[in-house]
Structures are given as structure tokens and as C-alpha cells.
Amino acid sequence: MNIDGHTRLLGLIGTPVGHSKSPAMYNYCFEKYGLNCAYLAFDVDMEHVEDAVAAIRTFNLQGANVTMPLKNAVIPYLDEVSPASLAIGSVNTIVNRGGRLCGYVTDGMGYTGELRRGGVEIAGKTVTLLGAGGAASAIAIEAALEGAKEIRVFNKRDAFWDRALANLKTIGEAAPACKISLSDLDDSEALRESIAGSDILTNATRVGMKPMDGESLITDTTMFRPELIVTDVVYDPEETKLLRDAKAAGCRTFDGLGMLVEQGAASFKLYTGLDMPVGEVCDAIYR
Ligand code: NAD
């Protein structure tokens, strides 16, 4: 990479960021396309969020990704945010358009993008969505805005439940054509019925990820059928127990790594207008 006086900077803000593979992913793509850009990670805590957004303006960064815990906190300092970001109160991508800072959330685009890469359009689909946290909300709003027919959310009656009710109401208002409901994950008969009437089953909970690797929320594998598409947001391990069981039952599956890189690809497209070579990036950076 040849850094000179014209190099445009991009970055990741949040904390912690030291483990992030985003710098490797974006710099790989800048090099591949011969773009005079560089990407760094900046450790920024809540106390410094306003300063960090001001620095994006001062140093004329081309854009920035935002990670925990700042995804909501950056919003008041931006000039505009996308309908999806507004609905779920989350920004993971800031694009600098001639000095105007525009916020987007690409997590859900990663989900629909990964399905699309596999030839599956979310429009018209009925989805059983396990989880109501950050990843699930991003998936629900994007799927709803892209024309999903129905989203049936299942969550435990834990700390996420009340926030989920409020979130789903906002999502329903933003995408009124999509039917959205929330049910108790412990109601296994309702879950069975929902999956039986769904095109896609998606796990967007932490189950399947360490220390819950080796666990799956679908313990009764007769809930799978070969026509059902099964996806998982968990990317470490790349193949979760849910996906292993679903594959064994003949289902088509999509893993969380594809979604993760597709979400980076959606940000890359917003920054540069170019398509990220997703499969190549998965192999070069993540495997
Ligand atoms: P979060 O803390 O916002 O939400 C956690 C969710 O998991 C909630 O719905 C909660 O009820 C549920 N949950 C936790 N423990 C559970 C249990 N024992 N049984 C049933 N449900 C349980 O987390 P998040 O940011 O939404 O992340 C969720 C997962 O998604 C993580 O594994 C994360 O790594 C992954 N993720 C993947 C991507 C991607 O691009 N692939 C993006 C974001 C997050």
C-alpha cells in the first residue's frame, strides 16, 4: 500500500477493537481495487463519542464503521440516518458525503445479501427468527423493508423481551406490509407450528457461540424439513450445531461468516460504490 498526501482514511470506532478483522478486510479490498485509501481501528469509549464523530469531520474521513458500545450513541452527532437505523436506533456505518455524515446499519443487509448471494430473495418469505437482540433487530428491519411477508420472532422472556416488543412495534410502523409477531421461545408447540409454516428459520441469538457452542435452540430435529432454509448469525464456530443438524435433515443452510462479510461488503459498497469479492475475502481474511 502506497500512502501519500492524497490517501483517504477510513476507520472503525468502538471498544474493544483490537481483535477486529475489519482493517485487514477493507485494506485487502482497497489494495485489490487500487484505491488510495487506508483503514485503521480506533479505540473509542462512550465518553469520547462526540469527539470521535467531530474527528471524522475534521480529518475528512471517507467513512467509518461503528461497533459496540457506540452504535446508538453516534446517532445524535450525524447529519442523517437511514430508515433502518432510525427504526432500530443503530448505526454501524458512517459515510462522509461531502461533509455530511450519513448513518446506516448494514448488519441486516449482510443477512439479506448472504441469502441473495445464494440465490434466495427475502421478498415474499415467511421467517421464523430466534432472538430479539441487536443482530435480530437488524435482520428484522432489513428483511421487512426488503419485502419479507411475515417475521415471527421467538425470544425467551428475558431482559430482551420488553425492548423487543417496543422494537417490533417500530419495525412494524416502518414496514407496515410485513406482518411481525413476538412469541415465547419456551412455547415449543408455537415454535413447531411457526417453523412448519416458514420458508426460513434463522438463529440470531448467542446460542451456538462460545460458551454455548455445541448447543442448539432446536432440540427436536423433526422440526426441520428439506424445503426449510436454515441460517445462523453465529460465525464462531462457522458451522454451529443448528446448521449441522439442519444439514443432516436435508435443509439448505447459510452460516454467520457469510453474513459478517456481506455486511462488510454492504459498507464497502456505501463507501466506494464497488462490490467486495465476498468469497475471496472469507478465505483470505477469516479462514
Ligand atoms: P444481543 O446481546 O444483542 O442479543 C442476544 C440474544 O440472544 C437475545 O435475543 C437473547 O434473548 C438471546 N439469548 C442469549 N442467551 C440465550 C439462551 N441461553 N437461550 C435463548 N436465547 C438466548 O447479541 P447480538 O449482538 O444480537 O449477537 C447475537 C449473536 O449474533 C452473537 O453470537 C454475535 O456474535 C452474532 N452476530 C453475528 C453477526 C454476523 O454478521 N454474522 C452480526 C452481529 C452479531
Side-chain angles (χ1 to χ4, degrees):
M1 188 186 296
N2 294 316
I3 291 180
D4 61 21
H6 299 284
T7 304
R8 291 293 301 277
L9 183 63
L10 296 94
L12 170 68
I13 59 171
T15 188
V17 292
H19 65 287
S20 171
K21 292 194 174 176
S22 292
M25 177 175 76
Y26 289 106
N27 287 319
Y28 177 92
C29 295
F30 295 151
E31 201 160 340
K32 185 176 172 71
Y33 282 105
L35 300 177
N36 193 357
C37 295
Y39 189 107
L40 293 175
F42 300 100
D43 203 294
V44 177
D45 61 16
M46 283 293 252
E47 209 183 310
H48 295 95
V49 61
E50 185 175 1
D51 293 348
V53 178
I56 293 173
R57 295 183 197 276
T58 305
F59 296 128
N60 195 26
L61 263 65
Q62 188 160 327
N65 289 107
V66 184
T67 188
M68 297 306 286
L70 309 182
K71 287 183 167 189
N72 177 264
V74 293
I75 291 177
Y77 308 109
L78 304 179
D79 299 306
E80 57 186 83
V81 296
S82 71
S85 287
L86 198 61
I88 62 167
S90 177
V91 160
N92 79 335
T93 303
I94 300 172
V95 183
N96 184 350
R97 296 216 166 85
R100 276 187 75 72
L101 299 189
C102 309
Y104 301 86
V105 57
T106 64
D107 305 66
M109 294 180 195
Y111 172 78
T112 58
E114 176 61 0
L115 285 170
R116 192 170 297 121
R117 192 160 69 99
V120 179
E121 279 299 329
I122 197 73
K125 299 289 190 296
T126 295
V127 182
T128 294
L129 179 61
L130 310 179
S137 301
I139 286 171
I141 183 65
E142 189 62 31
L145 288 173
E146 289 191 28
K149 183 175 162 199
E150 187 171 347
I151 302 172
R152 303 162 173 179
V153 179
F154 284 77
N155 206 78
K156 286 177 95 69
R157 286 189 178 266
D158 60 9
F160 289 87
W161 183 269
D162 287 342
R163 212 185 66 191
L165 277 174
N167 254 356
L168 295 185
K169 186 168 175 283
T170 319
I171 293 170
E173 284 162 7
C178 180
K179 192 175 164 200
I180 304 194
S181 58
L182 176 64
S183 305
D184 190 340
L185 186 58
D186 289 331
D187 185 344
S188 49
E189 265 325 295
L191 181 61
R192 172 186 292 281
E193 207 175 295
S194 174
I195 293 172
S198 293
D199 303 292
I200 303 174
L201 166 67
T202 294
N203 174 49
T205 72
R206 291 175 180 274
V207 178
M209 176 181 135
K210 285 191 181 80
M212 288 183 273
D213 50 331
E215 291 180 36
S216 165
L217 288 175
I218 306 301
T219 47
D220 178 355
T221 55
T222 64
M223 289 189 194
F224 297 127
R225 62 184 199 285
E227 306 74 40
L228 183 70
I229 293 168
V230 179
T231 83
D232 206 327
V233 298
V234 173
Y235 52 86
D236 186 16
E238 196 175 333
E239 188 177 74
T240 57
K241 176 165 168 48
L242 172 77
L243 296 187
R244 258 197 321 277
D245 290 348
K247 258 185 205 165
C251 301
R252 184 154 182 222
T253 61
F254 290 83
D255 61 46
L257 179 59
M259 174 182 163
L260 182 73
V261 178
E262 278 288 345
Q263 150 191 334
S267 298
F268 186 73
K269 183 110 183 171
L270 286 165
Y271 296 141
T272 66
L274 298 170
D275 291 319
M276 183 181 275
V278 171
E280 186 180 322
V281 167
C282 281
D283 289 340
I285 310 295
Y286 287 92
R287 289 196 175 112

